[in-house]
Amino acid sequence: MDKELYDLKNWAIETLKEYKAELLITKQVTGKAPSALKKADRFLNALAVDTSGTYADMIDDARRKGISQKEFANMGRNLEERIMNSFRVLPDDPAHHMYSLRTAGDLIQNVEPGVREMGLQILKDEGYILGNVRQNLTSLAEATHQGRTGKGAELAALGEISVDKTQTAIAHPRGTGDPLISRTIDYKNIKTPEDFANAYRPLLEQQSADLAGALKTEAPRRKIITEFVEEQGGPKDIFSTNVPAPEVKRGRDIIKQAPGVMQRAYRAMPIIQNGSFRLSFGLDKAVDTIKRNISGAVAGAATVIEPEAVKAALQGDYTEAAKQTFVGAGFGALAEQGIKQAAPVVTRTAASVLPKAAVSMIGAAAKFVPVLAGGYAGYQMLDAIVEGATGKDLQETGVAAEEKKEELREQGYSEYELRRRARTGYRKP
């Protein structure tokens, strides 16, 4: 780093540290952290670890104009957001820092500047490129980023989820505030560039291992997206950190026009949810999961409209349920077909004679499938639940129900008593 950039960076760091100190005083006085504190702290770390001159023009402009510390912090945070957004491959993906800006906590802010810069150079020579730069940013699904519900196309494809982090590899298995990574290392113990690099290295290695696991979970999604974008004449290997922002945008514009492909890609990821079954994660494990949690299996299959999987699970054919869930009718196919109305009287009749276990399954499915109450997909799912629970399909069950009612009428049951029997299992004395 040349002397001019070195001086510029040190001026910016000291300016931000002064602003942070004021915000910390406000926190002590009011007992509440100002919203600006977290933003300023984040930008301070992003700036301090940067060795690429990412913020040089902005810093120079801010110093010449004499803007306030608050304005300067906001400028930096806004630039950071623009950089991150430019490398999101799918529009709803979070841009993940492969090496967190909060690595080693506040160490980077307080260590002696010369030690900091030479220590960063040692790490850079080893392949660790830090900061808010292209080589440190990758595009992940929210499910593989923090193991939580995503937005937009991801939400449409997966619904609300809670990833089982013990069985699904994600980028932040211990959370974004992971103390293993972000705990502050006392700068007083860092005397040399080698001390600095040695303090950082194990934390970076841990993050590399976490990301490697997440990328295995991501692999099916990335394969589908990458191949589609290339087939449409877009950039090759769009998830690569070598692809510049304009090319990422070109690929993103292509994939935005193919929501069906996006949803298929999201659903291809091997994700296991807490307490339920979700998509393809190895047949043996899927079968075991279904055996341990029938209701979760049915609800999980319902999230992607899998009637055959529901039927098989209820009938005890766990392997078939797993296979069918791999196949997947999915929301994309449903949207293409349109929603065809089912015969509501058959649905009501069948629902009135289901055993309680099947009724609870309908409730579980309804929680995940909004169209269950009326459309063709809902009829198909209900039919699967009925057949799985009774051995007869929806229409057969409805016919049998009417025949049973007629038999009971002949035995002297009133209409009220028939309704009471349907609700409670009542039997005439």
Side-chain angles (χ1 to χ4, degrees):
M1 179 178 291
D2 63 53
K3 187 176 186 307
E4 182 178 350
L5 183 56
Y6 177 79
D7 290 342
L8 202 59
K9 180 176 176 179
N10 286 338
W11 173 84
I13 289 173
E14 291 306 313
T15 299
L16 290 170
K17 285 174 66 176
E18 290 175 7
Y19 180 51
K20 178 182 174 180
E22 291 178 9
L23 294 173
L24 286 171
I25 291 172
T26 301
K27 178 183 177 181
Q28 289 178 340
V29 172
T30 64
K32 183 179 179 180
S35 60
L37 178 59
K38 185 176 180 179
K39 295 178 182 179
D41 201 39
R42 182 183 175 95
F43 175 43
L44 181 50
N45 270 39
L47 173 62
V49 298
D50 183 69
T51 58
S52 304
T54 305
Y55 303 99
D57 290 340
M58 186 202 75
I59 296 170
D60 184 54
D61 189 52
R63 187 163 66 171
R64 283 188 295 103
K65 292 180 178 178
I67 65 175
S68 70
Q69 294 171 340
K70 179 179 180 179
E71 289 175 311
F72 179 48
N74 287 339
M75 282 177 61
R77 181 62 179 143
N78 291 340
L79 177 56
E80 182 183 8
E81 286 293 331
R82 289 197 299 274
I83 293 170
M84 293 172 66
N85 289 340
S86 68
F87 295 117
R88 301 177 195 266
V89 174
L90 271 67
D92 301 302
D93 279 6
H96 170 69
H97 289 95
M98 292 182 276
Y99 304 113
S100 170
L101 300 179
R102 287 294 302 164
T103 299
D106 291 347
L107 170 62
I108 194 72
Q109 302 175 16
N110 298 315
V111 71
E112 195 275 321
V115 169
R116 178 191 70 220
E117 296 305 322
M118 287 187 284
L120 288 171
Q121 187 60 51
I122 291 173
L123 294 172
K124 187 174 183 179
D125 291 343
E126 294 176 4
Y128 297 110
I129 300 176
L130 312 181
N132 207 36
V133 294
R134 179 65 185 109
Q135 296 92 331
N136 192 35
L137 288 167
T138 191
S139 188
L140 298 176
E142 191 59 71
T144 55
H145 183 228
Q146 296 192 59
R148 64 186 186 184
T149 300
K151 301 177 181 178
E154 183 174 356
L155 176 60
L158 302 182
E160 293 188 4
I161 63 171
S162 175
V163 175
D164 185 342
K165 299 176 186 178
T166 66
Q167 299 188 69
T168 305
I170 64 172
H172 290 290
R174 296 165 300 278
T176 53
D178 180 7
L180 181 64
I181 303 301
S182 61
R183 70 181 186 280
T184 294
I185 294 176
D186 190 349
Y187 71 95
K188 298 184 185 72
N189 297 326
I190 306 300
K191 307 293 186 183
T192 68
E194 289 73 23
D195 291 341
F196 180 92
N198 291 339
Y200 256 78
R201 193 178 293 107
L203 307 182
L204 302 177
E205 289 171 348
Q206 179 61 59
Q207 291 173 80
S208 292
D210 291 340
L211 180 61
L215 292 179
K216 287 182 180 179
T217 307
E218 274 267 321
R221 182 183 86 118
R222 290 191 167 201
K223 183 175 186 294
I224 291 170
I225 298 298
T226 298
E227 290 177 353
F228 179 80
V229 169
E230 289 183 14
E231 288 169 2
Q232 301 303 310
K236 293 186 176 182
D237 197 10
I238 190 170
F239 286 94
S240 168
T241 56
N242 294 321
V243 179
E247 285 295 279
V248 172
K249 182 182 183 303
R250 188 164 70 89
R252 184 168 60 245
D253 289 342
I254 290 172
I255 196 63
K256 281 164 61 177
Q257 305 306 312
V261 175
M262 283 195 283
Q263 290 193 8
R264 178 162 59 90
Y266 281 119
R267 290 196 296 268
M269 294 187 296
I271 293 170
I272 303 175
Q273 290 198 55
N274 288 314
S276 70
F277 171 74
R278 177 75 199 168
L279 299 180
S280 56
F281 42 80
L283 191 56
D284 291 341
K285 187 170 288 187
V287 172
D288 181 61
T289 302
I290 291 175
K291 285 181 178 179
R292 286 187 285 106
N293 186 1
I294 285 266
S295 62
V298 173
T303 64
V304 286
I305 316 291
E306 306 293 4
E308 292 303 315
V310 171
K311 187 193 306 181
L314 288 173
Q315 292 175 341
D317 190 346
Y318 308 119
T319 300
E320 182 61 25
K323 288 179 180 176
Q324 289 296 339
T325 306
F326 290 168
V327 174
F331 283 119
L334 172 64
E336 290 174 9
Q337 293 170 6
I339 296 177
K340 304 172 184 177
Q341 294 301 311
V345 66
V346 178
T347 303
R348 286 198 300 271
T349 303
S352 70
V353 297
L354 286 177
K356 289 183 179 179
V359 174
S360 70
M361 293 302 176
I362 294 171
K367 178 181 178 182
F368 292 95
V369 189
V371 297
L372 193 59
Y376 171 71
Y379 178 87
Q380 191 179 27
M381 181 63 71
L382 183 57
D383 189 53
I385 294 171
V386 171
E387 187 172 347
T390 68
K392 298 179 181 180
D393 65 24
L394 192 55
Q395 187 171 359
E396 291 170 335
T397 305
V399 171
E402 289 302 323
E403 291 175 349
K404 182 66 176 177
K405 281 186 179 181
E406 191 59 37
E407 180 185 328
L408 293 172
R409 287 189 187 102
E410 291 175 359
Q411 295 175 16
Y413 278 75
S414 67
E415 293 302 316
Y416 166 75
E417 287 172 326
L418 288 175
R419 291 193 297 273
R420 182 180 174 188
R421 178 186 173 93
R423 289 195 311 272
T424 67
Y426 164 81
R427 292 184 180 276
K428 194 177 180 69

